[in-house]
């Protein structure tokens, strides 16, 4: 069996520490594969959330820092400006032979809809696609009140979190080493 290549699609989580998608990709290849970290910017998909000048400056600085951190680990960040995310991911996968695509969840309504459609299209094309909770103690769909409704006050929500039967995941250490695709 050939070596597995996993694309880690970075979006708003510009960190190597406590990054479940990156950790799972590095752990999953276990020395028998490679990890391709990718950031894709599609201005046409930003819609009403197109970042302002200061936000774009922050993203650029954060990406440069992330690129350096990943480069030290052995697999620098690939940054792509594209017309659409799906085409960019498919191009990366085809050029590296990647069969898996990992990313951390985003929770805003626009991203939820886009990610659901994108994940389904990738699955339909035979890719293994896995998304992770990279930002929250619990996923929003895991914590409801006793009537199955979303909470309207923080105190009630927090009390429920404290009584959850499963502890939140502990923060993850960054991978020590990543293998760059050939």
């Amino acid at each position: 069996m050939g070596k597995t290549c996993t694309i880690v699609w970075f979006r708003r989580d510009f960190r190597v520490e406590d990054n479940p998608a990156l950790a799972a990709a590095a752990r999953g290849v276990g020395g028998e594969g490679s990890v391709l970290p990718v950031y894709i910017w599609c201005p046409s998909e930003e819609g009403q959330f197109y970042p302002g000048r200061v936000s774009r400056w922050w993203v650029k600085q954060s990406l440069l820092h992330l690129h350096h951190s990943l480069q030290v680990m052995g697999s620098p960040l690939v940054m792509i400006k594209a017309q659409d995310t799906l085409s960019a991911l498919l191009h990366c996968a085809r050029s590296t032979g990647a069969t898996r695509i990992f990313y951390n969840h985003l929770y805003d309504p626009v991203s939820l809809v886009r990610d659901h459609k994108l994940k389904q299209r990738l699955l339909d094309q035979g890719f293994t696609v896995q998304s992770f909770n990279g930002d929250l103690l619990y996923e929003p769909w895991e914590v409801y009140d006793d009537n199955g409704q979303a909470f309207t006050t923080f105190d009630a929500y927090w009390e429920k979190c404290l009584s959850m039967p499963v502890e939140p995941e502990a923060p993850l250490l960054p991978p020590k080493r990543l293998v760059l695709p050939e």
Side-chain angles (χ1 to χ4, degrees):
M1 182 172 164
K3 292 185 175 189
T4 302
C5 178
T6 303
I7 292 173
V8 177
W9 175 29
F10 284 85
R11 287 107 63 77
R12 295 181 200 149
D13 45 357
F14 306 137
R15 66 189 190 281
V16 295
E17 296 86 4
D18 196 25
N19 187 318
L22 181 63
R27 209 175 34 247
V29 296
E32 293 298 317
S34 56
V35 175
L36 180 69
V38 175
Y39 175 79
I40 301 166
W41 185 45
C42 299
S44 62
E45 292 180 359
E46 299 286 342
Q48 68 186 28
F49 300 107
Y50 186 86
R53 184 176 54 187
V54 174
S55 293
R56 289 191 312 272
W57 178 89
W58 179 86
V59 166
K60 180 181 177 184
Q61 301 309 310
S62 299
L63 287 170
L64 290 172
H65 180 77
L66 176 62
H67 172 75
H68 175 72
S69 297
L70 290 164
Q71 194 168 29
V72 168
M73 291 179 198
S75 192
L77 182 66
V78 174
M79 293 178 259
I80 301 168
K81 183 177 179 184
Q83 293 301 311
D84 73 278
T85 301
L86 179 63
S87 295
L89 283 171
L90 289 172
H91 175 75
C92 288
R94 289 183 185 120
S95 64
T96 61
T99 57
R100 305 182 325 162
I101 300 170
F102 291 178
Y103 59 92
N104 293 325
H105 295 151
L106 296 177
Y107 299 95
D108 62 274
V110 172
S111 296
L112 284 170
V113 170
R114 180 202 57 205
D115 291 356
H116 177 75
K117 288 178 183 176
L118 192 125
K119 185 175 187 175
Q120 192 56 55
R121 299 218 19 221
L122 291 167
L123 289 169
D124 290 346
Q125 294 197 32
F127 292 96
T128 299
V129 183
Q130 194 167 351
S131 57
F132 300 85
N133 174 3
D135 291 332
L136 307 174
L137 294 175
Y138 297 100
E139 297 284 9
W141 46 85
E142 293 175 337
V143 184
Y144 290 105
D145 68 14
D146 293 336
N147 297 319
Q149 301 296 310
F151 287 94
T152 56
T153 64
F154 179 76
D155 287 342
Y157 165 79
W158 185 242
E159 286 299 318
K160 181 68 171 194
C161 284
L162 293 174
S163 69
M164 293 289 283
V166 177
E167 289 282 323
E169 295 289 324
L172 299 166
L173 294 173
K176 290 181 180 169
R177 183 166 104 46
L178 297 173
V179 176
L180 185 65
E182 297 174 358

